[in-house]
Every structure is written in C-alpha cells, then in structure tokens.
Amino acid sequence: MSRPARRSSRLALATAVALLLGSTACGTDTANGERTVEVWLMQHSVRPDLVERVVDEFEQQHAGVKVRVVEQKWDGIGEKVTAALESGDGPDVIEVGNTQVARYVAGGGVRNLTLEVSDLDGDDWIPGLAEPGKIDGYQFGIPYYAANRVVIYRKDLFAEAGVEKPPKTREQWLDATRRLHQPEEGRQGIYLPGQNWYVLAGFIWDEGGDLAVEQSGQWSGALHTKEALRGMAYYQELQALGNGPAGSDEAEPNHAEVFADEEVAQLIAVPGEAEQIVNRNPDLRDKLGFFPVPGKSANEPGAVFTGGSVLILPEKSDEREMGYQFLKLLTSDKWQREIATTMSYVPNRTTASDVLKGHPGAAAMAKGAENGHATPNSPSWAALEADNPVKRYQTDVLTGADPATAARKASSEITSLLSARPR
C-alpha cells in the first residue's frame, strides 16, 4: 500500500523528542504543567498524518493533556515491550502484533480490560483480532486493525479460460484453477509456494482442525489429526496447479514479483500487494480482480489468518485513565472507518465493514475476515515462527514424503517448541 513521502512535521518532531528522552517515565508533568500520554505505535502501521488527526481530537477533548507518539520498529520490539512492562517506566498505550499478546501477558504487567469490553463495543469486534487478545477468558488486547489474504486474479486470463466469475467454493476453485493452468502455454493456474503456512492453516481450520491445541495448560501439535491432514491434501492439490517452489515461502522469491513477471492467473496475498504488482508491470493495472479465499460451501468464505495489531495498556502507568481514553478514541467507529479507508485495512469491527464497498481489494478482505482466525494463543508461539516445523512439513509432503508420517514428526516438534518457556 502507498506511504506518504514525508511525515507531518509535528508528528516527526514528537517522535524525535520521545526517542531522545529514551527511558524517561511517561505521564509526568511537563515544564508548563501539562500532562503527557505516551503512545507506542509501530512503524508504517498507520499513516502519521492520520494519527496526528486522532491526537488533535484527543487533545481538544482533554484540556491540559498532550499525546506523545513514539514510532517503533518491529525488529526487537518484543524485548523492548517486555522491559517496559516490567519497569513501569514505559508508555501508557502500546501497539503489539495480535500473535504477541499471550507472550506479554505471561510475562506480566499487561492491564486486564475485560470490564471495559462493553464500553469499547466489543460485541462487534472481528473474531480474528478479539480472540488473540483474550487470554484464559480475560481480554487484555483491544483490536486495532486487521489484514488478511484474498485471491488476486487476472481477469483477462479468467476470461480466456472461460471462467466467467470468481469461484465460491473450494471445489469450484479447484475446477477453475485446473482450467486456468495451461503449462503448455506457459501459464500457471496459481502461484502458491510450498511453505505458505498461513494459507495451509486456513485449509486446516476449514476442516475443523488446528496447528496446535491446548489441554490443561499444555500445548500439543495437531498436524497429524485427520482434519489437518485433509487440509494439507487440499493444499497439495491446489499447489500442484502452478510452479510454486516446494522448498520456499512467498518471500523467496517475492511472489508478487513472480505474478507480475510471469503468466500467473492467481495469487493468494493481502490486497495491498496488488500495488506492488502494478508498479512492476503497469500493463496489469486494469486486469486485476479480487475475491475471498473460497470456503467448503458457498455460504461462508474460507478460513483465513487474520493478521494485524491490537492495543494493550501497561498495568504500571501514570496516566491510566488518559491512556484508556486514547485507546478508546483510536478504536472507535469513527476512526476505525478512517483507518480502514485510508490504509485499505479491515476495521476492528464488523459493523464498519460497509465503508470498504468502494475498494474491491479491501472489500474482499473484509468479507474473508468474517471467517478470520488467529494462530494458537501460546505464549511461546514466537519461537515456533522463528523455527517453523510447519514449513518443513509442507516441503516434506510436497517432495514425496508420506503425509501422516511427516505430520506426526512436525506435531512432535511443535509440542516441543510450545512447551518451552517464552523468551
């Protein structure tokens, strides 16, 4: 998605000042007697000019209170947030990835917001962001924004293959992809790398399975279950209808670049990658369409991993009430609609998805988010993503290994990784 060439001077200055202050405690009085709410937001998550408008409204509503936004990088953020939660000298509001909440809650210092869910209109939150923010039945993370994968397709190749409209079910999808896959003409029905494990997870969820399950506080790998094996079988069948490499993921080579450079009919990706495709191959500008990943029936889109961010509040905060009020404003219906249309994100609530009707890629994404899921809510999930046995399992199956045997091995590795204490 596009980014502004320059940040607003005000937000850039505030960020620079905050970074220079380093470990200075937030929420203290400034020289002129004003109180300050410090907010950590991730780099490139939401455009600075949009954040500045939220800040302006908040400061108008709360006389004598200023907001200092500090832009953080994803690299190394886990250790930085953990240290801030432990010390009590950190910010009053923190943006974190939706798969990170369990880790921070396990380490302690995250404020329990269960009693505030009703005040925040939590009944309308999309499940894929609300679920990972809930630990042991208590709500710690508040949904901020979401993104999930859709199918980006070539309308011209669909027409040439006689596929008149996007498929609604997985069987229709396979049938259409078989027709689109014309290797003798140098055309791929779909480009699906062998290690795109987020896509595999969706197929497994569709079958009623999961990557891992929890019982009595212990996490165990679940790739060997019959439901998960059915999901892998579907992945294998779909992946064969293109030239996606069995031993790499969507980043190597960059799957959007492959789609732009070759005759590929479909790609499973976030809608924002369409801009990257068009920038690389302008001839495709008017030839791209979008549809949700199809489900097992036409009544519901396929399950997808809902990525994105949530907001947490440190338990130790000098500005507890003002931090909460800023979180409430940023996640309100008004600003969720602004964020969704400006950034082509899925808003945090189902009641705001109508705002994306004029944005075909984002609208397809919002439709898919209706069946959004989160990864297993283990505090040690980050360790699994760093040393991912799901990817190795996919490659093993796609290169000829017995699926059941490979799945049992991968499940054992998942169990071991999730049993370790989070770092």
Side-chain angles (χ1 to χ4, degrees):
M1 61 188 67
S2 60
R3 303 290 180 191
R6 296 187 304 173
R7 300 178 195 165
S8 66
S9 59
R10 174 179 170 183
L11 188 60
L13 178 60
T15 300
V17 170
L19 290 172
L20 286 172
L21 288 173
S23 60
T24 300
C26 62
T28 55
D29 289 349
T30 61
N32 60 6
E34 291 176 331
R35 297 154 58 191
T36 303
V37 176
E38 184 170 311
V39 180
W40 285 7
L41 297 180
M42 300 310 300
Q43 187 178 47
H44 303 317
S45 63
V46 174
R47 279 173 38 176
D49 60 299
L50 183 55
V51 174
E52 184 176 357
R53 289 166 54 203
V54 180
V55 169
D56 284 342
E57 180 172 323
F58 181 85
E59 292 180 349
Q60 290 172 12
Q61 293 174 351
H62 302 279
V65 181
K66 294 296 181 182
V67 177
R68 179 170 61 232
V69 175
V70 183
E71 191 177 78
Q72 302 287 348
K73 295 182 179 180
W74 285 108
D75 186 34
I77 190 61
E79 293 74 16
K80 193 168 186 178
V81 170
T82 298
L85 293 172
E86 290 176 351
S87 69
D89 292 331
D92 303 291
V93 183
I94 309 176
E95 175 189 351
V96 302
N98 66 322
T99 64
Q100 299 174 332
V101 181
R103 169 188 177 179
Y104 298 136
V105 172
V110 182
R111 184 171 159 187
N112 186 337
L113 296 170
T114 304
L115 296 180
E116 284 74 27
V117 169
S118 177
D119 183 48
L120 297 169
D121 297 323
D123 288 343
D124 298 328
W125 290 336
I126 61 173
L129 278 187
E131 290 169 4
K134 183 180 289 186
I135 310 297
D136 296 330
Y138 297 100
Q139 197 75 42
F140 292 90
I142 305 305
Y144 182 19
Y145 65 83
N148 52 262
R149 288 159 177 78
V150 301
V151 182
I152 303 174
Y153 74 100
R154 289 269 302 268
K155 292 185 285 187
D156 57 329
L157 297 185
F158 266 55
E160 289 179 27
V163 182
E164 298 179 357
K165 55 186 179 180
K168 294 286 189 180
T169 69
R170 291 198 337 194
E171 284 307 310
Q172 292 174 0
W173 193 19
L174 269 181
D175 179 64
T177 305
R178 291 188 190 103
R179 293 161 65 183
L180 291 159
H181 186 52
Q182 301 174 16
E184 66 282 354
E185 303 292 333
R187 292 181 179 176
Q188 301 179 54
I190 190 168
Y191 182 82
L192 180 57
Q195 294 185 348
N196 195 327
W197 69 280
Y198 286 121
V199 173
L200 171 63
F203 298 158
I204 291 174
W205 290 326
D206 272 339
E207 296 291 348
D210 210 332
L211 305 175
V213 294
E214 181 188 21
Q215 186 172 12
S216 302
Q218 298 296 315
W219 286 92
S220 301
L223 290 178
H224 62 288
T225 64
K226 63 180 184 297
E227 294 86 359
L229 287 169
R230 287 200 300 266
M232 183 63 217
Y234 185 83
Y235 188 99
Q236 188 174 12
E237 193 168 3
L238 186 66
Q239 195 269 344
L241 298 174
N243 298 334
S248 61
D249 60 19
E250 59 271 34
E252 190 61 43
N254 184 297
H255 66 168
E257 294 180 0
V258 173
F259 186 90
D261 293 344
E262 301 181 19
E263 291 283 293
V264 179
Q266 301 172 96
L267 185 73
I268 304 172
V270 293
E273 293 194 68
E275 182 176 352
Q276 181 181 348
I277 292 167
V278 170
N279 287 341
R280 190 173 179 90
N281 185 353
D283 290 341
L284 297 180
R285 181 169 300 279
D286 298 319
K287 297 178 180 178
L288 301 182
F290 309 86
F291 60 89
V293 173
K296 295 193 73 174
S297 75
N299 298 325
E300 185 177 48
V304 289
F305 166 68
T306 303
S309 287
V310 301
L311 300 174
I312 62 173
L313 301 180
E315 185 64 42
K316 300 174 184 177
S317 169
D318 291 334
E319 288 293 347
R320 286 174 61 89
E321 179 58 25
M322 287 298 97
Y324 172 75
Q325 291 300 328
F326 186 82
L327 176 150
K328 183 177 180 180
L329 181 65
L330 190 56
T331 60
S332 67
D333 184 78
K334 171 186 175 179
W335 288 108
Q336 282 297 300
R337 289 173 178 271
E338 286 283 332
I339 290 170
T341 54
T342 302
M343 305 299 300
S344 293
Y345 286 156
V346 177
N348 70 359
R349 60 195 65 207
T350 57
T351 51
S353 60
D354 61 293
V355 76
L356 299 174
K357 287 183 178 178
H359 305 264
M365 185 167 61
K367 180 65 177 177
E370 294 176 6
N371 195 10
H373 292 248
T375 52
N377 215 356
S378 163
S380 298
W381 190 257
L384 183 141
E385 293 199 11
D387 179 24
N388 199 322
V390 184
K391 288 186 173 184
R392 292 192 290 273
Y393 160 63
Q394 291 176 275
T395 296
D396 287 347
V397 173
L398 295 175
T399 53
D402 173 63
T405 302
R408 284 192 294 271
K409 177 185 176 183
S411 287
S412 178
E413 292 177 358
I414 291 172
T415 301
S416 178
L417 286 165
L418 298 187
S419 297
R421 291 177 60 85
R423 294 179 294 180

